[in-house]
C-alpha cells in the first residue's frame, strides 16, 4: 500500500493564488485529481491526502467534493479559522465528513514568528482531539522553537510537521535546522512528512545526494514509525516531475528494510490520518 500524504488541487486564480510567483510559472495552471492519478498509478501509489492551499472554508468544501468524486482521495486536510469565536461550532459542523481528517493553517505566511502560541489560536487547537482531527504544521525552520512549545501544550493531539519544516536544502544549511528539529524526537504525537524536498532544493541543478543528509536526519529523529511520504504535487513540479519526486525518496532510503519502507510509503500515513 502506497499513499501520497500531500497533494494539492486547485483551479488557478491569479488573485487567490498570488503566492505562486513568476518563478513558479509552471504551476500557474489548473491541477485536478484526473491530472495526477495516472502519475500515481505509474509509481504504484494507490491513494492520497488532499491538503488545503487556500485559507477558506470554501477550500475545505472544494476538497471534500473532490474526495466524494474520486475514491483514491483517502482524506482531506482542510482549513478552518481556529481564532474564530464560533470555532467549536465549525468543528462540530465539519465532523460530519468522514473523509475530513484534519486541518492546517499557513503559519509560514503569518507576520508573527510565534503565531502558533497565540492564545486564541491555541483555544481552537485544543478542540481538535474531541473529533480525532489531526493538525498539519506548516512552518519555516525559524518557527521550530515555537512549534516545539506549541505541541508540548497538547500531548494528546496528533501533529504532522509538513515538508521537514522546509530546511534550506538549496544552500545546504543543516546545522541550525537539525538542532531545532531534534527535540521533536521525544514527542511521540508528532510525525514528519518527507515531502517538499525538491521544492526547497535547487530547482534547476539539484542532485540526488543533496537530499541525503536531510532524509537521514529525519529518519534518525522521528524513526521509521513517524515519517510519511508526500509528493507536494503540483508544487514539486517547480523542480521535478512526480516520478522524480518519488525517485528522490526511493534512492535515498535504499538502506531501509522492506517493512520500514512500507511504513514510510503508506502505513504511517494510513495510521496517522486514519485512512486506508
Amino acid at each position: 500500500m502506497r499513499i501520497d500524504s500531500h497533494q494539492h488541487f486547485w483551479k488557478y486564480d491569479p488573485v487567490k493564488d498570488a503566492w505562486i510567483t513568476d518563478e513558479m510559472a509552471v504551476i500557474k495552471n489548473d491541477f485536478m485529481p484526473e491530472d495526477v492519478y495516472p502519475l500515481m498509478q505509474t509509481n504504484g501509489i494507490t491513494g492520497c491526502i488532499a491538503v488545503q492551499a487556500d485559507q477558506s472554508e470554501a477550500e475545505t468544501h472544494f476538497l471534500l467534493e473532490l474526495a466524494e468524486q474520486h475514491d483514491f482521495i483517502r482524506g482531506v486536510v482542510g482549513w478552518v479559522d481556529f481564532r474564530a469565536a464560533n470555532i467549536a461550532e465549525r468543528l462540530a459542523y465539519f465532523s460530519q465528513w468522514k473523509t475530513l481528517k484534519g486541518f492546517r493553517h499557513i503559519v509560514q505566511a503569518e507576520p508573527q514568528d510565534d503565531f502558533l502560541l497565540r492564545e486564541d489560536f491555541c483555544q481552537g487547537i485544543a478542540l481538535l482531539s474531541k473529533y480525532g482531527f489531526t493538525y498539519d504544521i506548516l512552518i519555516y525552520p525559524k518557527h521550530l522553537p515555537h512549534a516545539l512549545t506549541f505541541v508540548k501544550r497538547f500531548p494528546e493531539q496528533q501533529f504532522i510537521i509538513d515538508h521537514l519544516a522546509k530546511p534550506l536544502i538549496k544552500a545546504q544549511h543543516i546545522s541550525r535546522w537539525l538542532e531545532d528539529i531534534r527535540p521533536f524526537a521525544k514527542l511521540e504525537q508528532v510525525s514528519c512528512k518527507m515531502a517538499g524536498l525538491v521544492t526547497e532544493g535547487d530547482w534547476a541543478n539539484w542532485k540526488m545526494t543533496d537530499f541525503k543528509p536531510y532524509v537521514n536526519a529525519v529518519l534518525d529523529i522521528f524513526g521509521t514509525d513517524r515519517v510519511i511520504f508526500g509528493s507536494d504535487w503540483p508544487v514539486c513540479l517547480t523542480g521535478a516531475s512526480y516520478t522524480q519526486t518519488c525517485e528522490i525518496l526511493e534512492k535515498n532510503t535504499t538502506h531501509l528494510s522492506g517493512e520500514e519502507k512500507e511504513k514510510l510509503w503508506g502505513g504511517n500515513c494510513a495510521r496517522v490520518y486514519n485512512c486506508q
Side-chain angles (χ1 to χ4, degrees), residues 120-139:
D120 54 356
F121 187 79
C122 287
Q123 287 173 0
I125 295 294
L127 302 175
L128 287 175
S129 60
K130 177 180 178 180
Y131 302 101
F133 285 134
T134 61
Y135 180 76
D136 274 46
I137 302 173
L138 179 60
I139 54 174

Side-chain angles (χ1 to χ4, degrees), residues 72 84 117 145 153 181 214 226 240 243:
F72 73 87
L117 303 180
R153 287 189 179 185
I181 201 169
Y214 302 91
R226 293 160 53 202
T243 295

Side-chain angles (χ1 to χ4, degrees), residues 141 163-174 177 194-203 205-215 218 248:
H163 311 321
L164 293 70
K166 298 195 168 186
L168 303 177
I169 297 175
K170 181 177 181 179
Q172 288 291 291
H173 292 169
I174 193 171
W177 166 81
M194 196 81 81
L197 289 166
V198 75
T199 314
E200 302 310 316
D202 186 337
W203 296 346
N205 300 292
W206 59 266
K207 304 181 298 296
M208 285 289 175
T209 53
D210 293 344
F211 310 106
K212 188 71 171 179
Y214 302 91
V215 171
V218 166
I248 286 170

Side-chain angles (χ1 to χ4, degrees), residues 16-17 19 51-60 79 106:
K16 176 177 68 68
D17 301 314
W19 61 274
V51 180
Q52 65 85 223
D54 180 56
Q55 302 205 126
S56 68
E57 287 193 9
E59 170 85 342
T60 305
W79 183 89
I106 303 177

